[in-house]
Each structure stands twice: as structure tokens, then as C-alpha cells.
Amino acid sequence: MEVINAVIAALVCLFIANNNVMSRLLVENCGISKDDPYVPNIFGGAKTNIQENPWMVLVWSSKPCGGSLIARQFVLTAAHCVSFEDLYVRLGDYETLDPMPYCLNNHCIPKFYNISVDMKIVHENYNGITLQNDIALLRMSEAVEYSDYVRPICLLVGEQMQSIPMFTVTGWGETEYGQFSRILLNATLYNMDISYCNIKFNKQADRSQICAGSHTSNTCKGDSGGPLSSKFHYGNRLLSFQYGLVSYGSERCAANVAGVYTNVSYHREWIFNKMVQFKPTGHTTFWLSKLVGQTCNITDIIRNIELMYNRIVYEN
């Protein structure tokens, strides 16, 4: 067994050396969006185009929420969005209230499609009062095929996320008119000191959460679970990475009021471990990304051999 472990460790080191950048992403070819040439820019608006957020998921039940596609068979959302009733997720969605394909200038987005959820994985330390650890994974009953309209957002493995001043939040939640948006919207929010949200909501938020807000925008009912993201260059490509997800905020949903977002970066280890623990049947390849960013120390690698054997590679 020691010889086998040494051989595997050497192969891991070789893999890391030859795949230094891409192996640090949970999913290759993630976080790619496109400017749709058929959709005009809207000055001063907050509408997205139909290819801008292909990882956006509508988590559908009696209480609709948002979510993000992070792998072929897993969606990330808020724990408070998960109930005992049956859930399904919509992918490739853009205009939620119109069952027909969205068309402009003879160019149409395919009709959204629904997939049932066969497993709900809520963080075991989720607190429904303080809303700490407000995070959950939804395992879909079937794997999705990636396209320009359905593609995962990026999560970094084995590397710290960049500290950034602002985020993008996306959802179909209530607007200033008191109605759910039929078109996917986004807004820019600014990273704020967590102490501001502690005072505002009289809760003890910590580093497992993010405080963010804006003078002009805010999240509201129906946005819960949706991604808080940012773009930055990684491996010579501009990719979208998920930093957080919508957790809670002001009941008034007014601008100039901060909100609290679950820190996805803080919970990455939990996410990866649960994906392994509840991996769909049929996945047999190794998931080596976790080891990248660590020193290629044989003892450390052998210590993780058992974990490696059960990890998954979610390839494009």
C-alpha cells in the first residue's frame, strides 16, 4: 500500500505541475458569459441579456428563490429556501412569466427546462434565527448539458479569493413596483464592513457572511439564494466567480440599505465535501483540484489519499 500511495502522490504532483491554472477551478470552462449581439444595451437599466448569467437558476416551489449552477448536477442556494415540499430547478431561464421562447430580431433563446431535485443538502449548522450557515446544495435528478445558456459559475479550489470592493447580484425578485420581475435583473453592490450589518439587523454576523449594499439597488423577496459574484482575470480569461449568495436584508427592500449574504468562499470546504459525500452514481474519476495550491508534500498527499479516491472531476 505504501508503494501505491507513493505512486499516486507522484502522479498527483505531476498533474498539479501540468495543470497549474485550470485545476484550481472546480469546473473547467466555468464563469463564461457572452454579450448577446441580438439584445440592445439599456442605458441606466438593470436588465441582463440572455447569455450574461448562464449559471442563474430559479429554484421553484411555493416560495421561489434563486440559485447558481456550480456543476453538472449541483445547484447552490440558501438553506432558508429549502422546504419539505418537492423542489425543481429551472435552467436556461430568462423571462420567467412567458412560456414561449424569448425572441428578438429573429433570434430566440430556447425555452427553459425543469429538472427535479432528488436530494436537498442543508448545512448541518444552519440557524434559522441568526441565519448563519444559510447555505444548501441541491442535487438534480439528472446532469445538465452545458451551452451558452446553461453553464456553471466558477468556484476556486485551494486558493484564496481576491478581495474586491464591489459585487454583482442577480435575480427575479421583487422590484420597486412590488412585483416579481419577469426579466432577470442584476445590480451592483458594494462590499461593506460587517459591523454595519450587525448594527442594522441586531444580529452577530461574522466572517462566514458578507455585508453589501448600494445607494441605488437592493435585493428583495425572491432573490434569496441567488449568486453574489464578481469578474476577474484568471488564467488570461475574464471569468465570473461566486463570492456569496443572498441571505437576508431589510423587509422594505429599499435602496441605501445593506443586506447580508452567505460567504460562499468561507463555505467552500463544506460545499466540496458534500458534493463528494452525495456524488451521483456513475462518477468514478478522481477529483484532484483540492490539492492544488498546497505544497506537493508526499506526507500531506498520502494523508488525503482516501479523500482523493472519492473526489469527482466535473469536466466540461
Side-chain angles (χ1 to χ4, degrees):
M1 180 58 71
E2 292 180 358
V3 174
I4 295 175
N5 286 345
V7 171
I8 293 175
L11 291 175
V12 170
C13 290
L14 183 61
F15 179 89
I16 291 171
N18 292 332
N19 299 273
N20 187 44
V21 174
M22 292 309 299
S23 59
R24 297 190 186 187
L25 300 174
L26 177 64
V27 178
E28 295 187 6
N29 294 322
C30 62
I32 301 171
S33 61
K34 294 184 177 180
D35 293 328
D36 196 316
Y38 299 96
V39 178
N41 293 326
I42 302 172
F43 288 94
K47 290 183 179 180
T48 66
N49 72 57
I50 61 180
Q51 296 182 0
E52 190 176 354
N53 299 276
W55 41 83
M56 192 66 197
V57 175
L58 181 62
V59 180
W60 196 254
S61 67
S62 59
K63 180 176 67 175
C65 282
S68 54
L69 183 69
I70 61 171
R72 287 196 186 277
Q73 214 158 339
F74 284 97
V75 168
L76 193 63
T77 189
H80 76 263
C81 290
V82 179
S83 63
F84 291 106
E85 61 185 304
D86 291 338
L87 295 179
Y88 64 88
V89 294
R90 288 184 181 179
L91 299 110
D93 207 351
Y94 176 70
E95 191 167 2
T96 61
L97 300 182
D98 191 344
M100 301 301 292
Y102 179 79
C103 298
L104 185 68
N105 298 333
N106 296 320
H107 174 73
C108 298
I109 178 175
K111 182 179 178 182
F112 63 80
Y113 59 99
N114 302 324
I115 300 179
S116 61
V117 172
D118 67 5
M119 183 170 289
K120 309 165 189 175
I121 309 163
V122 175
H123 197 292
E124 52 272 18
N125 295 322
Y126 167 59
N127 188 316
I129 298 176
T130 66
L131 291 177
Q132 288 178 313
N133 302 305
D134 186 13
I135 190 169
L137 276 171
L138 303 178
R139 193 183 73 180
M140 294 178 284
S141 59
E142 59 185 273
V144 300
E145 292 296 326
Y146 297 155
S147 69
D148 288 342
Y149 306 106
V150 176
R151 186 172 296 278
I153 195 168
C154 292
L155 294 182
L156 270 182
V157 181
E159 183 178 349
Q160 292 298 316
M161 297 282 281
Q162 296 182 12
S163 178
I164 57 171
M166 65 182 68
F167 308 101
T168 298
V169 66
T170 317
W172 291 278
E174 283 190 11
T175 68
E176 60 270 31
Y177 305 107
Q179 298 178 332
F180 284 84
S181 176
R182 65 194 298 261
I183 299 292
L184 185 61
L185 304 178
N186 64 18
T188 299
L189 302 179
Y190 295 89
N191 202 348
M192 304 175 68
D193 192 283
I194 197 68
S195 61
Y196 179 87
C197 284
N198 285 339
I199 296 171
K200 174 64 182 177
F201 300 108
N202 195 28
K203 294 180 185 286
Q204 193 57 45
D206 56 25
R207 63 193 182 97
S208 70
Q209 296 161 299
I210 296 171
C211 182
S214 166
H215 292 295
T216 58
S217 305
N218 201 352
T219 51
C220 198
K221 297 175 183 177
D223 289 322
S224 291
L228 187 73
S229 65
S230 183
K231 289 184 177 181
F232 60 85
H233 283 92
Y234 190 85
N236 298 318
R237 294 188 300 167
L238 184 63
L239 303 176
S240 290
F241 290 82
Q242 184 162 359
Y243 277 79
L245 58 84
V246 181
S247 183
Y248 67 90
S250 170
E251 291 185 1
R252 296 188 299 113
C253 306
N256 206 29
V257 178
V260 177
Y261 301 79
T262 301
N263 189 336
V264 169
S265 297
Y266 179 88
H267 290 94
R268 283 182 300 177
E269 193 68 23
W270 179 87
I271 295 169
F272 304 150
N273 287 337
K274 294 303 179 183
M275 289 175 68
V276 171
Q277 182 181 354
F278 299 105
K279 63 182 181 293
T281 58
H283 289 277
T284 58
T285 51
F286 299 144
W287 186 54
L288 305 176
S289 300
K290 178 179 167 57
L291 295 177
V292 179
Q294 303 177 7
T295 58
C296 201
N297 181 283
I298 297 299
T299 302
D300 291 339
I301 293 177
I302 292 175
R303 191 181 298 123
N304 287 285
I305 291 295
E306 182 178 357
L307 179 63
M308 267 176 27
Y309 268 109
N310 293 298
R311 295 288 180 167
I312 310 164
V313 173
Y314 292 97
E315 299 175 344
N316 179 36

